[in-house]
Amino acid sequence: MTGTSNPPRILVTRKMMPDVERRIAAAFRATLNPDDRPLSAAEILEKCGRHDGLLLTSFDKLGPDFIPALPPSIRIIATHSVGYDHLSIPQAKARGIAVTNTPGVLTDATADVALLLILGAARGASWGDRMVREDRWGETTLISPLGHDVSGRRLGILGMGRIGQAVARRARAFGMTLHYHSRRPVAAAEASQATYHQHFEDMLPNCDFLSINCASTPETRGIVNAATLALLPDGAIVVNTARGDIVDDGALIAALSSGKLAAAGLDVFRGEPRIDPRYRGLDNVFMLPHIGSATPGTRSAMGHKCIDNLEQFFRGETPTDLLTGD
């Protein structure tokens, strides 16, 4: 760190925003990835010897054997993401390795994308764009193709954390009636006066739209499945800006193909970027390549939050965003 004769060594697995790289190079002995070449788990393990910490991302494909194979020199992992399903927190705790993430700074950017997915899926942004690009505008009539109304409809939010609350505020501007399910209720003002449902299944019949904003945990993985999708009203629309493994792909594709669901808007997928190819053949799916946090300001803020946590740790302080605490 700046002002020390022997600053800690940090391996950075992907290229960061320029201001982030300048700061980390000034504060640490940093090994950067200037070519932004994706590194395999084996390459990261090979490179991180003699390093004290890792700054990695949710793009890194690590696997369950990664943390047990880390060299003993690694004392902290700062992940450039809010989600941490790519890391085993119990394994890190067992090894005595601190893990931090970046909550708070990408709330607005991700909530904006959730609204983009709601509007894009409902109003046919993907098929409308293709019609213009393919010179098929002349095929439109007064009765076909048609999208779906958003204003005044019912929105159910799965997960009323920071991002869920930001989605609720935005949806309120469209006159939507709001419902939510979370592990626990939040203050009415924080939930934009949304109605709380203790059980996820009880909320679903009230949802013309379902926005998935919860963390990926053992309890939520696969929670959107054939049984729960069946509880939605016919013609509902599902959007996901959280994590792909919260959704059962086969069940969602079947519901979209049968007409049970009118449409879906997806920014995240199980196994991304190698998504289930059946999605590509559906005209009623509006898809984005996991761009929830993809703005310059947000990506910079995430990087600086990683560095804040690293600096706090190496000063002997508890990092603000520690995931491996008691």
Side-chain angles (χ1 to χ4, degrees):
M1 295 169 58
T2 302
T4 62
S5 59
N6 196 29
R9 292 183 179 273
I10 304 297
L11 174 64
V12 184
T13 60
R14 296 300 297 262
K15 187 171 182 61
M16 302 281 156
M17 296 297 290
D19 56 322
V20 173
E21 291 196 338
R22 287 193 297 269
R23 182 181 167 195
I24 198 166
F28 301 100
R29 289 177 291 171
T31 302
L32 303 177
N33 184 351
D35 299 323
D36 204 22
R37 183 177 68 84
L39 302 175
S40 67
E43 289 176 302
I44 295 172
L45 288 169
E46 181 182 357
K47 290 176 177 291
C48 71
R50 300 187 308 279
H51 286 78
D52 304 292
L54 292 174
L55 198 171
L56 48 74
T57 77
S58 59
F59 297 144
D60 297 313
K61 306 305 178 185
L62 303 175
D65 299 326
F66 177 75
I67 287 178
L70 285 170
S73 63
I74 297 297
R75 299 164 53 199
I76 181 171
I77 298 171
T79 181
H80 190 277
S81 61
V82 171
Y84 47 88
D85 49 304
H86 53 296
L87 295 166
S88 171
I89 301 304
Q91 285 182 340
K93 290 183 73 170
R95 287 284 310 271
I97 298 171
V99 179
T100 66
N101 66 340
T102 63
V105 294
L106 48 70
T107 298
D108 286 331
T110 304
D112 288 348
V113 168
L115 265 292
L116 171 64
L117 291 174
I118 288 171
L119 293 167
R123 298 305 303 268
S126 55
W127 53 254
D129 180 79
R130 285 196 301 273
M131 290 186 76
V132 176
R133 292 180 187 278
E134 296 168 7
D135 196 21
R136 295 190 291 115
W137 194 329
E139 297 176 14
T140 60
T141 72
L142 293 178
I143 59 172
S144 177
L146 300 176
H148 305 274
D149 291 321
V150 173
S151 297
R153 305 299 295 278
R154 299 171 298 173
L155 171 66
I157 297 173
L158 173 57
M160 192 59 88
R162 291 184 182 92
I163 295 172
Q165 292 171 29
V167 171
R169 291 193 296 272
R170 287 156 172 76
R172 181 65 73 187
F174 285 85
M176 302 187 87
T177 301
L178 304 179
H179 299 262
Y180 78 100
H181 166 71
S182 253
R183 287 177 294 179
R184 61 187 64 87
V186 300
E190 294 173 349
S192 296
Q193 310 300 314
T195 300
Y196 174 66
H197 297 265
Q198 183 177 359
H199 302 291
F200 178 48
E201 292 80 2
D202 293 341
M203 179 182 74
L204 294 173
N206 302 285
C207 301
D208 301 310
F209 291 81
L210 173 64
S211 178
I212 302 169
N213 302 108
C214 60
S216 172
T217 67
E219 294 73 30
T220 63
R221 287 172 197 138
I223 194 173
V224 179
N225 52 44
T228 52
L229 288 171
L231 298 174
L232 289 167
D234 292 345
I237 292 173
V238 172
V239 303
N240 188 6
T241 54
R243 282 293 185 268
D245 62 7
I246 296 168
V247 174
D248 179 324
D249 284 333
L252 182 60
I253 289 166
L256 289 163
S257 300
S258 70
K260 167 62 180 177
L261 295 180
L266 306 173
D267 186 45
V268 291
F269 300 84
R270 185 187 302 268
E272 60 189 44
R274 292 178 292 278
I275 71 171
D276 190 314
R278 293 176 291 176
Y279 281 120
R280 298 190 179 99
L282 295 173
D283 283 337
N284 56 346
V285 183
F286 178 40
M287 296 183 286
L288 299 172
H290 201 155
I291 62 168
S293 65
T295 70
T298 301
R299 290 283 168 84
S300 286
M302 293 169 71
H304 286 294
K305 204 160 184 49
C306 287
I307 298 172
D308 290 343
N309 284 309
L310 288 167
E311 289 183 333
Q312 289 168 346
F313 177 82
F314 287 112
R315 287 197 301 262
E317 303 168 5
T318 299
T320 300
D321 305 302
L322 184 67
L323 296 169
T324 47
D326 295 330

